[in-house]
Amino acid sequence: MCGIFAYLNFLTPRSRKEILDLLIKGLQRLEYRGYDSAGVGLDSKESGKIELVKKQGKVKLLEDEIYRREADLAFDDTLNCHIGIAHTRWATHGVPNEVNCHPQRSDVTNEFVVVHNGIITNYKDIRVFLTQKGHTFESETDTEVIAKLVKHIYHQTESKDLSFRELVEQTCQQLEGAFALVFKSTFYPGEAVATRRGSPLLV
């Protein structure tokens, strides 16, 4: 069973190291659920970008990878408003590896990233539709279709006045199955949207 965790600091200064430590601690509290890989998503040191760190195996291996990349992740930078997301994965679609690990992304620039617990029963149909629209898939997961679908809807919407919540609502209307989700996007800095249908989610 997958585990998802998110941390938001709003007008509360936190270093990137503090944020990453909190995300790791959140994942450690979910280890009892069983998993085969883990990952985190947070704001990059490059303004307007999202950084993903993913690792097959235990949370400790993810933590080691984060500390190995200390300089690239700019541990000492202070962020006043930030949303970080994290995930432990129990493989259902695709083998355990870093590509199939969450957060899953919409594209190589990480415009939208999502963590997911549950199963999308119509993901094959959505995958075919998005492939026909020119989207390229890199993982075997059902979750990747969510990240690419929300990107597709965002770019197909003529008015960019759509709120993040409204965008996620439109995306979830196309999904079948049981799920708990947390979304993060470069287009909505400092925001996250969490939603559920069937699967548990504690806010």
Side-chain angles (χ1 to χ4, degrees):
M1 186 184 299
C2 299
I4 61 176
F5 183 80
Y7 170 70
L8 171 67
N9 56 297
F10 179 68
L11 298 181
T12 306
R14 291 283 184 270
S15 70
R16 193 173 273 104
K17 180 182 182 299
E18 288 177 306
I19 292 167
L20 284 162
D21 285 343
L22 281 163
L23 293 175
I24 290 295
K25 287 178 182 177
L27 292 183
Q28 288 170 342
R29 295 181 66 177
L30 295 170
E31 286 190 285
Y32 73 93
R33 296 164 68 89
Y35 65 101
D36 52 58
S37 53
V40 298
L42 71 160
D43 289 352
S44 169
K45 66 180 181 181
E46 296 183 52
S47 179
K49 295 186 177 181
I50 293 174
E51 187 82 30
L52 301 181
V53 185
K54 307 195 285 186
K55 200 72 177 174
Q56 181 181 344
K58 298 298 183 183
V59 170
K60 181 64 171 67
L61 294 177
L62 174 65
E63 183 178 20
D64 291 345
E65 178 66 14
I66 287 170
Y67 275 83
R68 188 186 69 79
R69 294 173 56 181
E70 177 178 349
D72 290 339
L73 294 172
F75 271 21
D76 294 332
D77 285 359
T78 298
L79 305 169
N80 290 321
C81 297
H82 182 270
I83 176 70
I85 61 177
H87 187 272
T88 53
R89 176 176 185 257
W90 184 265
T92 56
H93 297 87
V95 298
N97 62 29
E98 291 177 19
V99 174
N100 289 330
C101 180
H102 298 204
Q104 284 293 310
R105 62 186 185 174
S106 59
D107 59 280
V108 294
T109 61
N110 303 337
E111 288 183 351
F112 292 89
V113 296
V114 62
V115 289
H116 168 216
N117 174 36
I119 187 167
I120 306 302
T121 55
N122 65 334
Y123 85 98
K124 289 182 180 179
D125 294 334
I126 298 173
R127 188 179 180 118
V128 169
F129 168 78
L130 291 171
T131 300
Q132 292 172 343
K133 295 296 183 181
H135 295 272
T136 302
F137 285 81
E138 58 187 358
S139 81
E140 303 169 85
T141 68
D142 57 340
T143 306
E144 190 181 1
V145 304
I146 304 171
K148 284 182 163 47
L149 181 60
V150 70
K151 170 188 169 78
H152 175 76
I153 293 173
Y154 176 83
H155 287 292
Q156 290 297 308
T157 304
E158 292 183 5
S159 172
K160 293 300 184 280
D161 293 333
L162 199 66
S163 72
F164 202 4
R165 179 186 60 79
E166 291 169 332
L167 179 62
V168 169
E169 283 180 352
Q170 289 188 22
T171 302
C172 290
Q173 287 171 6
Q174 307 304 317
L175 304 178
E176 297 175 5
F179 50 80
L181 305 164
V182 183
F183 292 80
K184 177 176 171 67
S185 174
T186 57
F187 297 115
Y188 301 94
E191 294 185 46
V193 177
T195 186
R196 63 178 290 272
R197 182 193 300 159
S199 297
L201 181 66
L202 178 64
V203 178

